[in-house]
Amino acid sequence: MTTPTAQREHLLTLKVMRLTKPALLSSVPVTNESWDVPGSTLEQALASDVRAPNGLLKSSLGEVLSLPQNFGNIYLGETFSSYICVHNDTKQMVQDVLFKAELQTASQRITVHGNHHGNLVEMAGSASMDDVIQHEVKELGTHILVCTVSYLFSGEKFHFRKFFKFQVMKPLDVKTKFYTSESGDLFLEAQIQNIMAQPLFLETVSLEPSHHFTVTKLKDDPPISAFAEGRARYLSKNDTKQVLYHLHPKQPNFSRNVSAVGKLDIVWRTNFGERGRLQTSQLQHMVSVTPELRLHVVSAPSIVPIEKPFKIELTVTNMSEHQMNLRLVLTKLKTGGLLWSGVSGKHLGELLSNEARTVSLSALPVVCGLQSIGGVRLTDITCGKTHEFENFAQVFVYDPEETAFEVL
C-alpha cells in the first residue's frame, strides 16, 4: 500500500499493513549426469540451496516460508484483513484521540472500525493504539480504505486522513446451462473455473433452490474413492469442475411458468487454508413455451428389414390445463421411405389434463437406408386445434437379400 506524502507534520502517525499468509518457497532443481561437463557443480549448488528440503532436493518442493513482499491479490468472497497502528512519535501527551476506518466501494461506504462513539482516548508519548480489522469483500473493482485520525493538543484540534487503494478481482468464472428432458425434468449444469493466480480446493458447492423447487445433486456412479474425490475438488489455475443438479418442482407442471431457480453457493480454500465464499445471483431459467401435447416414443425398433411391417408404441400426454378430445390422423411421410399401415382418423377419446394414453401404430418400410418417422397429426375436436409431429424417431431399413447384416 502507498500513501500520499503528508502536507504537514503531525504528532501522531498512522501505519497500515495488510495481513496475509506467507508463501512456500520452492527450489528449481537443475541436474546433470555425472559424466557431463558441470560434474557435481550443480548437485553442490542444489544442496546448498536453503529452499530445497532435506532428502528431497530434486522434488521442486519447499519447506521455507516467505513473508509477503507486496499487497498481493485479493479476490471477491475473501476476507480482507489489515493491521492498523496509530503511534505517538513525540513525548507529548495528546487528548481526545479518535480513529475511524471506512471501506469505500463504487456503491457504498462501510465503517470497519471506529472509536468515534464518544470513546475518547488519551495517548502519552511513544504510546500506540492498534487494532486488526476484517471485512468480507462482496464487490468487484476499486476499493479505498479511508483512515481518519483526529486528536487534541494544547487546546487545538488536529486531524488527518490517509487513503489506501486496492483492486478486488474475480476468483471464479461460473457458467450455467439448463436442460429439459423429454419427460419435463429440469437439470442444471454448472461449470466452475478457477481464474485466480493460485490453486484452490473446493470445500463445498451447493445449490440453494427457490421455494418452487427441491434439488438433488447427481453424484458419480460408481462412487469414487476419497483420494479421487480430493483430486476432483483441487483446481489448478484455469481448471474447471462441472456439477449437475436435478430440479424437482414442488407442484406438478409448475416449472413451466417459473424462471427463478436458485443460487449457487461456493466455498473454497487456498494454499494456507484461507477461506473464500461466493454466492451467485438468482439463476434465471428462460421459460420455454411448453407444447399442449407431448408425444413420447415408448418402443420402436432401430433396425428393420424392408417390406416387413413393424410396430411403434407411442404415449400421448395432455400437458395443458384443460381437457382434450383427440382424433389421430396418419399423413404421408415427407421422406416417402415409410408407409403407415392401419386406420387413419381414429378417435382417441377424451384426455384430461396431465393424463397420458398409449397408442400402437404399424408402418411398412419401402426404401432402404435411414428413415425418419413422422406424419402423426392429433386434432382436438373440441376447439379444432391441430398438433403435427414430425421426425420423432428414426429407423434403419435394410435388404436382407443384399446385405450381410446381423440384427442384434
Side-chain angles (χ1 to χ4, degrees), residues 47 49 52-57 63:
D49 191 343
N54 294 329
L56 296 170
L57 297 180
E63 59 182 3

Side-chain angles (χ1 to χ4, degrees), residues 15 21 124 137 160 163 327 342 370-371:
K15 302 293 183 182
K21 300 285 186 180
V137 181
F160 62 94
F163 304 89
R327 182 175 66 241
L370 187 64
Q371 304 296 333

Side-chain angles (χ1 to χ4, degrees), residues 30-304:
V30 180
T31 62
N32 63 284
E33 300 294 343
S34 59
W35 56 81
D36 288 338
V37 174
S40 60
T41 303
L42 297 178
E43 293 280 349
Q44 293 173 1
L46 186 59
S48 61
D49 191 343
V50 295
R51 299 173 299 174
N54 294 329
L56 296 170
L57 297 180
K58 302 178 182 179
S59 64
S60 297
L61 300 177
E63 59 182 3
V64 178
L65 297 178
S66 172
L67 295 178
Q69 303 298 313
N70 49 41
F71 181 81
N73 298 326
I74 184 165
Y75 295 94
L76 182 70
E78 294 184 336
T79 299
F80 171 72
S81 300
S82 182
Y83 171 77
I84 300 179
C85 176
V86 179
H87 181 70
N88 187 352
D89 287 344
T90 69
K91 296 182 180 180
Q92 306 294 327
M93 172 74 74
V94 294
Q95 295 84 28
D96 297 353
V97 179
L98 295 177
F99 168 69
K100 183 179 180 181
E102 297 175 303
L103 196 60
Q104 181 177 327
T105 68
S107 62
Q108 58 183 334
R109 192 164 183 155
I110 308 166
T111 300
V112 293
H113 181 275
N115 64 339
H116 54 286
H117 296 295
N119 299 324
L120 303 181
V121 178
E122 290 187 351
M123 292 183 64
S126 301
S128 297
M129 179 176 66
D130 55 6
D131 199 1
V132 174
I133 62 172
Q134 292 185 329
H135 176 73
E136 184 179 349
V137 181
K138 298 181 179 180
E139 288 187 46
L140 291 170
T142 303
H143 286 56
I144 302 175
L145 182 63
V146 183
C147 299
T148 305
V149 178
S150 65
Y151 59 94
L152 189 67
F153 177 68
S154 298
E156 185 178 356
K157 192 170 184 178
F158 298 87
H159 77 278
F160 62 94
R161 181 179 295 174
K162 290 187 177 183
F163 304 89
F164 305 89
K165 183 185 295 186
F166 59 92
Q167 294 288 332
V168 175
M169 296 182 292
K170 186 178 178 181
L172 304 172
D173 185 22
V174 181
K175 298 178 181 178
T176 58
K177 296 180 181 178
F178 288 96
Y179 303 93
T180 304
S181 65
E182 290 185 357
S183 59
D185 292 342
L186 183 62
F187 295 88
L188 168 64
E189 176 195 354
Q191 298 179 0
I192 304 169
Q193 183 182 19
N194 175 19
I195 57 176
M196 294 194 293
Q198 58 184 336
L200 60 85
F201 181 82
L202 287 176
E203 192 168 272
T204 59
V205 179
S206 59
L207 176 64
E208 298 180 2
S210 64
H211 61 278
H212 303 298
F213 294 93
T214 59
V215 64
T216 301
K217 183 177 181 181
L218 301 183
K219 299 182 179 180
D220 295 323
D221 188 24
I224 60 178
S225 63
F227 175 77
E229 173 69 17
R231 287 292 300 270
R233 292 187 180 186
Y234 178 84
L235 295 182
S236 296
K237 181 181 178 181
N238 296 326
D239 281 358
T240 301
K241 179 178 176 60
Q242 292 175 295
V243 290
L244 185 64
Y245 297 95
H246 185 188
L247 295 158
H248 311 273
K250 293 183 178 179
Q251 299 179 15
N253 299 326
F254 193 68
S255 59
R256 300 181 198 171
N257 305 316
V258 176
S259 60
V261 173
K263 299 178 181 180
L264 273 175
D265 191 82
I266 306 169
V267 179
W268 70 89
R269 293 188 182 273
T270 50
N271 289 342
F272 282 84
E274 302 100 317
R275 185 177 183 270
R277 180 175 181 265
L278 184 66
Q279 188 176 68
T280 66
S281 56
Q282 187 72 240
L283 300 177
Q284 300 290 330
H285 173 231
M286 298 300 294
V287 180
S288 58
V289 179
T290 304
E292 294 184 346
L293 276 178
R294 189 178 73 218
L295 190 70
H296 176 66
V297 180
V298 178
S299 64
S302 57
I303 303 172
V304 296

Side-chain angles (χ1 to χ4, degrees), residues 305-370:
I306 193 170
E307 297 181 352
K308 288 191 177 181
F310 63 92
K311 296 290 186 181
I312 303 173
E313 188 172 346
L314 306 174
T315 297
V316 179
T317 306
N318 181 3
M319 302 296 294
S320 69
E321 298 179 356
H322 57 271
Q323 180 178 309
M324 291 186 179
N325 191 6
L326 297 177
R327 182 175 66 241
L328 172 64
V329 176
L330 301 175
T331 63
K332 182 180 179 180
L333 277 70
K334 294 180 180 180
T335 59
L338 299 175
L339 299 176
W340 288 116
S341 175
V343 178
S344 180
K346 181 180 178 181
H347 184 221
L348 298 183
E350 295 181 349
L351 201 63
L352 301 177
S353 177
N354 297 319
E355 185 180 359
R357 187 156 301 168
T358 302
V359 179
S360 294
L361 302 177
S362 178
L364 177 68
V366 293
V367 178
C368 290
L370 187 64

